[in-house]
Amino acid sequence: WMVRAIALKDDNDNIIKWYGSNIDITDHKELERQKDNFLGVASHELKTPVTSIKAYAQVMEMMFRRAGDTKNAELLGKMDNQINRLNNLIGDLLEVTKINTGRLQFVISPFNFNQMVEDVIEEVQRTSLKHKIQKELRFEGEVTGDRERIFQVITNLLTNAIKYSPDASRIIIYTERNENEVQLCVQDFGIGIRRDQQDRIFEQFYRVSGSREHTFPGLGLGLYISSEIVKHLNGRIWVNSVEGKGSTFCFALPLQ
Ligand code: ADP
């Protein structure tokens, strides 16, 4: 059984009253389990052929380049980019099934936070030359956590900032120490998010509805994965956004 509660709020977002009901979730749970099982098997099976297609594409690109055939080499390069996108989508699906079945693993150790942020920026900037990523790194020191997973969270926030803002617009990434936390924010000047959607975007498969879904490709998993990672590391993640003006996504992690 599950208790479903809905809060009735006034104009100032204060809760006036709770409405609750009991729902039988046995079937629901079983469906969820089957969905996770399917997603796990499907994404696992997709991974292997995509990996070999990528290897073939790379070999062919190299062969064309050696033969001086730049035109075909460039085509293969484009193909490689699309394979990377496919790989990322499959990777996200795999991660979600791991999260949902409690199998996402973490490797905790101390690392230089700024260096990691610089590495993310370099990698993201390499594939998206149209945006200018500006950095204001005011936190110095080490953080104890899973470097790779935090790298993944920041990559997600940065690629979203790029995806949901016009070409050539500015993106600012800043870090600072806030009492016993390190805080990182990514600010963009893009489409922004409506107030009533701001909590929901962290749910799995949730995407802001409207014509947008067609304009911006994606599965609606990046923010869910990011928030699960941050929560697992005892941190917080949130967004400030004004529709039509832009968004600032931040997360904070505890320092030891
Ligand atoms: P995806 O981008 O694949 O849809 P995410 O989980 O990363 O999945 O994001 C969920 C939704 O949140 C997006 O579909 C989009 O509507 C909204 N969103 C995320 N980042 C931004 C941003 N920087 N600006 C505006 N909307 C955003």
Side-chain angles (χ1 to χ4, degrees):
W1 291 89
M2 178 177 82
V3 180
R4 169 160 286 176
I6 296 167
L8 182 67
K9 292 181 180 174
D10 66 14
D11 292 343
N12 297 321
D13 246 17
N14 299 316
I15 296 170
I16 309 168
K17 194 174 177 164
W18 284 97
Y19 290 100
S21 59
N22 289 321
I23 307 160
D24 185 348
I25 55 163
T26 325
D27 287 350
H28 182 73
K29 274 237 162 96
E30 174 57 17
L31 260 179
E32 282 283 298
R33 203 191 57 76
Q34 284 179 8
K35 182 203 79 187
D36 286 333
N37 201 12
F38 168 75
L39 276 181
V41 174
S43 42
H44 187 78
E45 287 301 314
L46 286 167
K47 221 178 157 64
T48 323
V50 173
T51 308
S52 40
I53 293 171
K54 185 174 170 63
Y56 290 131
Q58 282 175 335
V59 171
M60 281 166 76
E61 184 186 350
M62 208 172 64
M63 279 160 60
F64 280 126
R65 244 179 238 296
R66 280 206 187 132
D69 186 346
T70 37
K71 213 167 175 188
N72 274 317
E74 270 165 27
L75 276 179
L76 264 302
K78 283 185 183 162
M79 188 165 145
D80 191 52
N81 285 340
Q82 295 303 317
I83 298 169
N84 286 344
R85 275 185 59 191
L86 190 55
N87 248 337
N88 289 338
L89 291 173
I90 296 170
D92 278 358
L93 285 173
L94 267 173
E95 300 262 270
V96 164
T97 49
K98 279 190 197 151
I99 290 171
N100 292 350
T101 52
R103 286 185 294 117
L104 194 68
Q105 285 181 356
F106 286 80
V107 183
I108 309 292
S109 60
F111 63 90
N112 182 313
F113 196 74
N114 268 353
Q115 188 54 55
M116 187 244 349
V117 176
E118 300 263 11
D119 291 349
V120 182
I121 297 173
E122 199 189 305
E123 191 176 300
V124 173
Q125 188 80 80
R126 217 174 337 121
T127 47
S128 24
L129 302 166
K130 288 178 185 140
H131 285 78
K132 169 114 195 62
I133 305 174
Q134 189 181 318
K135 59 190 177 199
E136 292 166 22
L137 310 182
R138 287 183 287 260
F139 171 83
E140 304 255 337
E142 292 206 318
V143 167
T144 300
D146 188 321
R147 186 187 195 272
E148 202 130 304
R149 296 273 176 223
I150 300 170
F151 192 102
Q152 188 183 353
V153 172
I154 304 170
T155 306
N156 259 331
L157 299 184
L158 272 181
T159 45
N160 274 350
I162 288 168
K163 182 156 94 177
Y164 297 104
S165 66
D167 284 353
S169 66
R170 234 171 9 130
I171 287 163
I172 310 169
I173 179 167
Y174 50 94
T175 62
E176 62 196 11
R177 190 191 175 118
N178 199 346
E179 289 177 17
N180 240 347
E181 285 180 335
V182 53
Q183 205 164 299
L184 180 145
C185 296
V186 174
Q187 181 176 14
D188 69 57
F189 301 87
I191 62 172
I193 305 155
R194 258 183 24 223
R195 179 105 199 87
D196 61 315
Q197 307 270 359
Q198 289 177 15
D199 289 333
R200 302 214 60 196
I201 54 172
F202 294 98
E203 295 170 15
Q204 58 178 307
F205 297 113
Y206 190 83
R207 312 196 69 212
V208 173
S209 59
S211 54
R212 266 170 209 192
E213 294 133 285
H214 308 292
T215 332
F216 304 100
L219 289 173
L221 291 177
L223 286 179
Y224 171 70
I225 295 171
S226 300
S227 77
E228 289 297 312
I229 291 173
V230 169
K231 275 190 255 165
H232 186 97
L233 297 167
N234 300 317
R236 306 173 284 125
I237 186 164
W238 67 95
V239 62
N240 281 311
S241 182
V242 179
E243 201 183 10
K245 291 240 151 66
S247 314
T248 305
F249 281 87
C250 301
F251 69 82
L253 294 171
L255 294 167
Q256 294 200 324

Tab-separated table of all heavy atoms in Angstrom, residues 124-133 161-163 165-171:
chain	number	residue	atom	x	y	z
A	124	VAL	N	33.923	19.501	-22.699
A	124	VAL	CA	32.655	19.988	-23.251
A	124	VAL	C	32.918	21.044	-24.329
A	124	VAL	O	32.293	21.039	-25.380
A	124	VAL	CB	31.745	20.553	-22.135
A	124	VAL	CG1	30.509	21.209	-22.718
A	124	VAL	CG2	31.340	19.444	-21.175
A	125	GLN	N	33.873	21.923	-24.048
A	125	GLN	CA	34.167	23.003	-24.993
A	125	GLN	C	34.665	22.458	-26.335
A	125	GLN	O	34.423	23.041	-27.374
A	125	GLN	CB	35.207	23.949	-24.369
A	125	GLN	CG	35.450	25.212	-25.154
A	125	GLN	CD	34.378	26.290	-24.917
A	125	GLN	OE1	34.408	26.995	-23.924
A	125	GLN	NE2	33.450	26.405	-25.841
A	126	ARG	N	35.324	21.316	-26.274
A	126	ARG	CA	35.867	20.709	-27.487
A	126	ARG	C	34.772	20.346	-28.486
A	126	ARG	O	34.945	20.458	-29.691
A	126	ARG	CB	36.664	19.454	-27.116
A	126	ARG	CG	37.882	19.314	-27.998
A	126	ARG	CD	38.834	18.176	-27.639
A	126	ARG	NE	38.812	17.664	-26.298
A	126	ARG	CZ	38.549	16.389	-25.990
A	126	ARG	NH1	38.246	15.530	-26.935
A	126	ARG	NH2	38.587	15.984	-24.740
A	127	THR	N	33.625	19.905	-27.959
A	127	THR	CA	32.556	19.494	-28.866
A	127	THR	C	31.539	20.593	-29.144
A	127	THR	O	30.724	20.462	-30.037
A	127	THR	CB	31.810	18.257	-28.307
A	127	THR	OG1	31.532	18.503	-26.933
A	127	THR	CG2	32.635	17.003	-28.459
A	128	SER	N	31.551	21.665	-28.368
A	128	SER	CA	30.602	22.755	-28.642
A	128	SER	C	31.333	24.086	-28.667
A	128	SER	O	31.471	24.755	-27.654
A	128	SER	CB	29.479	22.793	-27.620
A	128	SER	OG	29.872	22.199	-26.439
A	129	LEU	N	31.782	24.413	-29.860
A	129	LEU	CA	32.607	25.608	-30.018
A	129	LEU	C	31.769	26.879	-30.070
A	129	LEU	O	32.291	27.977	-29.937
A	129	LEU	CB	33.440	25.484	-31.298
A	129	LEU	CG	34.352	24.263	-31.340
A	129	LEU	CD1	34.869	24.012	-32.744
A	129	LEU	CD2	35.509	24.436	-30.373
A	130	LYS	N	30.441	26.709	-30.247
A	130	LYS	CA	29.608	27.890	-30.473
A	130	LYS	C	29.311	28.667	-29.197
A	130	LYS	O	28.955	29.831	-29.244
A	130	LYS	CB	28.300	27.482	-31.144
A	130	LYS	CG	28.529	27.087	-32.593
A	130	LYS	CD	27.246	26.631	-33.237
A	130	LYS	CE	27.486	26.131	-34.635
A	130	LYS	NZ	26.686	24.932	-34.925
A	131	HIS	N	29.393	28.016	-28.058
A	131	HIS	CA	29.149	28.722	-26.803
A	131	HIS	C	30.463	29.080	-26.129
A	131	HIS	O	31.425	28.336	-26.213
A	131	HIS	CB	28.331	27.845	-25.851
A	131	HIS	CG	26.902	27.738	-26.221
A	131	HIS	ND1	26.475	26.917	-27.229
A	131	HIS	CD2	25.801	28.347	-25.725
A	131	HIS	CE1	25.156	27.023	-27.332
A	131	HIS	NE2	24.722	27.889	-26.436
A	132	LYS	N	30.427	30.185	-25.433
A	132	LYS	CA	31.616	30.579	-24.698
A	132	LYS	C	31.406	30.234	-23.237
A	132	LYS	O	30.501	30.750	-22.577
A	132	LYS	CB	31.829	32.083	-24.889
A	132	LYS	CG	32.871	32.693	-23.998
A	132	LYS	CD	34.091	33.194	-24.796
A	132	LYS	CE	35.285	33.474	-23.890
A	132	LYS	NZ	35.791	32.304	-23.181
A	133	ILE	N	32.201	29.312	-22.726
A	133	ILE	CA	32.072	28.936	-21.317
A	133	ILE	C	33.059	29.771	-20.488
A	133	ILE	O	34.259	29.712	-20.690
A	133	ILE	CB	32.334	27.431	-21.098
A	133	ILE	CG1	31.416	26.587	-21.989
A	133	ILE	CG2	32.145	27.068	-19.631
A	133	ILE	CD1	31.690	25.100	-21.950
A	161	ALA	N	22.955	23.318	-20.489
A	161	ALA	CA	23.041	24.782	-20.640
A	161	ALA	C	23.270	25.125	-22.110
A	161	ALA	O	22.681	26.066	-22.647
A	161	ALA	CB	24.161	25.333	-19.769
A	162	ILE	N	24.094	24.330	-22.764
A	162	ILE	CA	24.383	24.559	-24.184
A	162	ILE	C	23.150	24.248	-25.035
A	162	ILE	O	22.765	25.011	-25.908
A	162	ILE	CB	25.592	23.700	-24.619
A	162	ILE	CG1	26.867	24.273	-24.005
A	162	ILE	CG2	25.702	23.613	-26.140
A	162	ILE	CD1	28.073	23.383	-24.106
A	163	LYS	N	22.530	23.099	-24.716
A	163	LYS	CA	21.394	22.643	-25.505
A	163	LYS	C	20.209	23.602	-25.421
A	163	LYS	O	19.533	23.846	-26.416
A	163	LYS	CB	20.992	21.248	-24.995
A	163	LYS	CG	19.859	20.583	-25.717
A	163	LYS	CD	19.936	19.071	-25.563
A	163	LYS	CE	19.115	18.580	-24.403
A	163	LYS	NZ	19.099	17.117	-24.257
A	165	SER	N	20.121	26.867	-24.779
A	165	SER	CA	20.362	28.308	-24.948
A	165	SER	C	20.860	28.562	-26.364
A	165	SER	O	21.401	27.669	-27.010
A	165	SER	CB	21.353	28.818	-23.897
A	165	SER	OG	22.619	28.257	-24.108
A	166	PRO	N	20.662	29.793	-26.861
A	166	PRO	CA	21.045	30.060	-28.250
A	166	PRO	C	22.557	29.977	-28.477
A	166	PRO	O	23.331	30.219	-27.538
A	166	PRO	CB	20.549	31.486	-28.491
A	166	PRO	CG	20.060	32.010	-27.211
A	166	PRO	CD	20.079	30.950	-26.186
A	167	ASP	N	22.931	29.648	-29.694
A	167	ASP	CA	24.344	29.607	-30.048
A	167	ASP	C	24.997	30.941	-29.728
A	167	ASP	O	24.362	31.974	-29.849
A	167	ASP	CB	24.505	29.342	-31.552
A	167	ASP	CG	24.242	27.877	-31.874
A	167	ASP	OD1	24.073	27.080	-30.934
A	167	ASP	OD2	24.201	27.535	-33.067
A	168	ALA	N	26.241	30.872	-29.353
A	168	ALA	CA	27.046	32.065	-29.081
A	168	ALA	C	26.654	32.774	-27.792
A	168	ALA	O	27.236	33.789	-27.433
A	168	ALA	CB	26.999	33.064	-30.239
A	169	SER	N	25.642	32.245	-27.062
A	169	SER	CA	25.326	32.896	-25.788
A	169	SER	C	26.326	32.436	-24.725
A	169	SER	O	27.024	31.453	-24.883
A	169	SER	CB	23.890	32.605	-25.365
A	169	SER	OG	23.729	31.243	-25.072
A	170	ARG	N	26.349	33.200	-23.639
A	170	ARG	CA	27.340	32.975	-22.611
A	170	ARG	C	26.888	31.895	-21.631
A	170	ARG	O	25.702	31.791	-21.330
A	170	ARG	CB	27.511	34.271	-21.819
A	170	ARG	CG	28.932	34.740	-21.750
A	170	ARG	CD	29.056	36.135	-21.155
A	170	ARG	NE	27.853	36.680	-20.576
A	170	ARG	CZ	27.807	37.224	-19.347
A	170	ARG	NH1	28.874	37.241	-18.594
A	170	ARG	NH2	26.676	37.753	-18.898
A	171	ILE	N	27.838	31.124	-21.133
A	171	ILE	CA	27.541	30.184	-20.055
A	171	ILE	C	28.585	30.425	-18.971
A	171	ILE	O	29.771	30.537	-19.269
A	171	ILE	CB	27.606	28.734	-20.563
A	171	ILE	CG1	26.380	28.452	-21.435
A	171	ILE	CG2	27.646	27.741	-19.409
A	171	ILE	CD1	26.508	27.252	-22.304
